[in-house]
Amino acid sequence: MAIHWSEAKDQLRQLAAHPQFGLFSDLDGTLAALAPTAEQVRLSPRVLQLLTGLRDELPVVALISGRRVAALHDKVRIPGLVYVGNHGLETLSEDGAAEANPAAAPYRPALDAARKALQAVEGGGAHTEDKGLTLTLHYRQVADPEDFNRRHGDTVRAIAAEQGLEFFTGKMVYELRPPVQMHKGVALRELAGRYGIQAALFLGDDVTDIDGLRAVREMRAAGECDAWGVAVQSPDAPEGLEETADWLASGVADVEDLLAWLLAARRASST
Ligand SMILES: [Mg+2]
């Protein structure tokens, strides 16, 4: 059973002091509170300041999000962070351009066909966001999201299957993605390898973050990295999230406290 992070300060202090410590985090619902629309999500000045401070101290601070990488960067705009979008299918290159995983490109016609088919369930607050390499159907704004899910979940799943796309659920979203072996766990492992990370912390709050939480456990078990995972609790947290995490944070404000504590511990270790 995962414990609150404040009960694991000895281990967190060791992580923070490791020269090759990397921080990997989701954005929405983890570093910023969810809002009715993705556009309305804002990072607090404090979290921006903490991410900047951690960037200056650590070999890598990476944001791994389901957003398009350009939209992810737009929300944060801190130079020197690593930005990974579309659950790992897209990264931001040094010159600020989006780089797509080439394996995903052939699925654009399938996404177009699925997008058209999804019109059948849109309306009343439900809309499809085209993220270029994936589609997200948002239903947070419909009058009765649970009823929407009961009535349309299987339809959307079938549309994905018809087009050879994979179907995922999240917090009041459905996602349709190319069947490319890529998720937050794969992205995390790749980044850890690329930056020579030997100690790591991953934070997330939703279904797709479970892959990241699983990856840190596997990396730790394999002895390749002293990696740990934090689940951010929320009323609509998905099944399996807390069970897969090592530690818990009670919400976005608590994540800020954790980042502040990590930054202080890092600075204390280097003096
Ligand atoms: Mg999230």
Side-chain angles (χ1 to χ4, degrees), residues 174-188:
Y174 303 124
E175 296 188 330
L176 284 70
R177 297 189 223 150
V180 173
Q181 183 48 35
M182 176 53 76
H183 55 65
K184 289 194 179 188
V186 174
L188 169 59

Side-chain angles (χ1 to χ4, degrees), residues 1-8 12 25 29-31 171 201-206 213 229-235 237 241-243 245-260 262:
M1 196 59 206
I3 53 171
H4 189 260
W5 66 265
S6 63
E7 293 173 56
L12 281 163
S25 182
T30 298
L31 297 176
K171 290 181 177 175
L201 193 65
F202 174 80
L203 300 94
D205 73 305
D206 207 343
L213 295 172
V230 176
V232 184
Q233 297 172 295
S234 65
L241 181 83
E242 288 189 23
E243 291 82 346
D246 299 300
W247 301 319
L248 303 172
S250 63
V252 170
D254 194 31
V255 169
E256 286 190 15
D257 290 345
L258 167 57
L259 296 185
L262 280 173

Side-chain angles (χ1 to χ4, degrees), residues 2 7 27 45 52 54 59 73 84 86-87 123 168 190 193 196 199 205 218 235 239 248 250 252:
E7 293 173 56
L27 183 81
T52 306
L54 287 160
H73 180 259
V84 179
N86 263 318
H87 309 284
F168 298 88
E190 280 185 10
D205 73 305
E218 288 167 7
E239 222 172 290
L248 303 172
S250 63
V252 170

Side-chain angles (χ1 to χ4, degrees), residues 27-39:
L27 183 81
D28 298 273
T30 298
L31 297 176
L34 296 178
T37 69
E39 292 70 37

Side-chain angles (χ1 to χ4, degrees), residues 36-147:
T37 69
E39 292 70 37
Q40 288 169 291
V41 169
R42 292 280 175 276
L43 276 79
S44 73
R46 182 176 181 227
V47 87
L48 290 169
Q49 198 181 6
L50 289 167
L51 288 172
T52 306
L54 287 160
R55 173 205 65 189
D56 293 342
E57 295 285 339
L58 303 181
V60 65
V61 175
L63 301 179
I64 309 176
S65 170
R67 285 177 182 261
R68 295 191 79 151
V69 76
L72 172 67
H73 180 259
D74 256 12
K75 281 288 164 206
V76 185
R77 295 189 167 276
I78 298 174
L81 300 190
V82 174
Y83 296 89
V84 179
N86 263 318
H87 309 284
L89 289 174
E90 253 187 330
T91 52
L92 201 72
S93 69
E94 300 278 327
D95 61 2
E99 280 176 1
N101 183 319
Y107 289 88
R108 190 58 241 184
L111 292 170
D112 286 334
R115 194 179 175 180
K116 217 167 163 190
L118 286 173
Q119 287 171 357
V121 302
E122 287 170 11
H127 70 279
T128 303
E129 180 188 0
D130 191 337
K131 295 178 174 175
L133 300 173
T134 62
L135 300 176
T136 301
L137 191 140
H138 299 264
Y139 62 93
R140 180 172 293 272
Q141 290 182 294
V142 303
D144 185 345
E146 273 180 40
D147 178 61

